[in-house]
Amino acid sequence: MRGLSMFVAVFLILFAFTLISVRADSGKWAGVDETVVERFAGKAGRPAKEPFINWGQGDLPLFIFLIAGATGGFAAGYYFRVLFHEKGREGEPKNDV
Protein backbone atom coordinates (compact mmCIF):
# COMPACT_ATOMS: atom_id res chain seq x y z
CA MET A 1 0.00 0.00 0.00
CA ARG A 2 2.89 2.34 0.77
CA GLY A 3 4.35 1.78 -2.69
CA LEU A 4 1.06 2.69 -4.32
CA SER A 5 0.73 5.90 -2.31
CA MET A 6 4.32 6.83 -3.18
CA PHE A 7 3.59 6.20 -6.88
CA VAL A 8 0.48 8.38 -6.74
CA ALA A 9 2.38 11.18 -4.97
CA VAL A 10 5.20 11.14 -7.54
CA PHE A 11 2.66 11.05 -10.38
CA LEU A 12 0.79 14.06 -8.99
CA ILE A 13 4.02 16.04 -8.55
CA LEU A 14 5.12 15.28 -12.12
CA PHE A 15 1.66 16.18 -13.41
CA ALA A 16 1.80 19.51 -11.57
CA PHE A 17 5.22 20.31 -13.03
CA THR A 18 3.92 19.44 -16.49
CA LEU A 19 1.03 21.88 -16.09
CA ILE A 20 3.38 24.58 -14.84
CA SER A 21 5.76 24.09 -17.77
CA VAL A 22 2.89 24.23 -20.29
CA ARG A 23 1.75 27.52 -18.83
CA ALA A 24 5.30 28.88 -18.81
CA ASP A 25 5.74 28.03 -22.50
CA SER A 26 2.85 30.27 -23.50
CA GLY A 27 5.22 33.25 -23.71
CA LYS A 28 3.86 35.06 -20.68
CA TRP A 29 6.97 34.40 -18.60
CA ALA A 30 10.16 35.32 -20.42
CA GLY A 31 13.49 34.08 -19.11
CA VAL A 32 16.30 36.15 -17.62
CA ASP A 33 18.30 35.84 -20.84
CA GLU A 34 15.55 37.46 -22.87
CA THR A 35 14.46 40.14 -20.43
CA VAL A 36 17.73 41.27 -18.88
CA VAL A 37 20.84 39.98 -20.60
CA GLU A 38 19.77 40.59 -24.20
CA ARG A 39 18.50 44.07 -23.38
CA PHE A 40 21.75 45.15 -21.72
CA ALA A 41 23.86 43.48 -24.41
CA GLY A 42 21.90 45.32 -27.10
CA LYS A 43 22.43 48.64 -25.32
CA ALA A 44 26.16 47.92 -25.15
CA GLY A 45 26.32 47.23 -28.89
CA ARG A 46 26.79 43.45 -28.54
CA PRO A 47 23.66 41.82 -30.02
CA ALA A 48 22.99 38.12 -29.55
CA LYS A 49 24.55 35.74 -32.06
CA GLU A 50 23.86 32.14 -32.99
CA PRO A 51 25.62 29.67 -30.62
CA PHE A 52 28.41 27.45 -31.93
CA ILE A 53 26.57 24.31 -30.77
CA ASN A 54 22.83 24.86 -30.52
CA TRP A 55 21.78 22.62 -27.63
CA GLY A 56 18.11 23.56 -27.76
CA GLN A 57 17.12 22.36 -31.21
CA GLY A 58 16.94 19.05 -33.01
CA ASP A 59 17.83 15.69 -31.54
CA LEU A 60 21.02 16.67 -29.71
CA PRO A 61 19.37 16.92 -26.24
CA LEU A 62 17.74 13.50 -26.80
CA PHE A 63 21.06 11.99 -27.83
CA ILE A 64 22.79 13.38 -24.74
CA PHE A 65 19.98 12.04 -22.54
CA LEU A 66 20.33 8.64 -24.25
CA ILE A 67 24.09 8.51 -23.61
CA ALA A 68 23.67 9.56 -19.97
CA GLY A 69 20.95 6.95 -19.43
CA ALA A 70 22.99 4.21 -21.07
CA THR A 71 26.04 5.11 -18.98
CA GLY A 72 24.03 5.17 -15.75
CA GLY A 73 22.29 1.91 -16.64
CA PHE A 74 25.59 0.22 -17.38
CA ALA A 75 27.07 1.39 -14.08
CA ALA A 76 23.98 0.33 -12.10
CA GLY A 77 23.93 -3.06 -13.83
CA TYR A 78 27.63 -3.64 -13.29
CA TYR A 79 27.42 -2.85 -9.57
CA PHE A 80 23.94 -4.32 -9.00
CA ARG A 81 25.07 -7.07 -6.63
CA VAL A 82 27.19 -4.68 -4.60
CA LEU A 83 24.43 -2.10 -4.39
CA PHE A 84 21.51 -4.36 -3.53
CA HIS A 85 22.45 -7.92 -2.52
CA GLU A 86 25.85 -8.74 -1.11
CA LYS A 87 26.59 -7.82 2.50
CA GLY A 88 29.99 -8.04 4.12
CA ARG A 89 30.90 -7.90 7.78
CA GLU A 90 28.70 -5.70 9.99
CA GLY A 91 26.18 -5.17 7.18
CA GLU A 92 28.64 -3.30 4.95
CA PRO A 93 28.55 -4.06 1.19
CA LYS A 94 31.41 -6.12 -0.20
CA ASN A 95 33.84 -4.24 -2.42
CA ASP A 96 35.28 -7.15 -4.37
CA VAL A 97 33.88 -6.19 -7.80
Side-chain angles (χ1 to χ4, degrees), residues 28-50:
K28 182 178 177 183
W29 300 94
V32 174
D33 290 342
E34 297 170 359
T35 57
V36 178
V37 176
E38 287 182 3
R39 183 170 48 117
F40 282 105
K43 286 181 182 179
R46 305 274 303 192
K49 59 182 180 177
E50 193 68 27

Side-chain angles (χ1 to χ4, degrees), residues 16-84:
F17 280 123
T18 303
L19 288 178
I20 290 170
S21 69
V22 168
R23 286 183 175 236
D25 287 340
S26 65
K28 182 178 177 183
W29 300 94
V32 174
D33 290 342
E34 297 170 359
T35 57
V36 178
V37 176
E38 287 182 3
R39 183 170 48 117
F40 282 105
K43 286 181 182 179
R46 305 274 303 192
K49 59 182 180 177
E50 193 68 27
F52 183 67
I53 299 175
N54 195 350
W55 297 95
Q57 292 182 347
D59 292 335
L60 185 60
L62 296 174
F63 179 71
I64 293 171
F65 187 74
L66 170 75
I67 296 299
T71 303
F74 176 79
Y78 187 78
Y79 291 108
F80 181 80
R81 289 178 299 155
V82 174
L83 292 172
F84 297 108

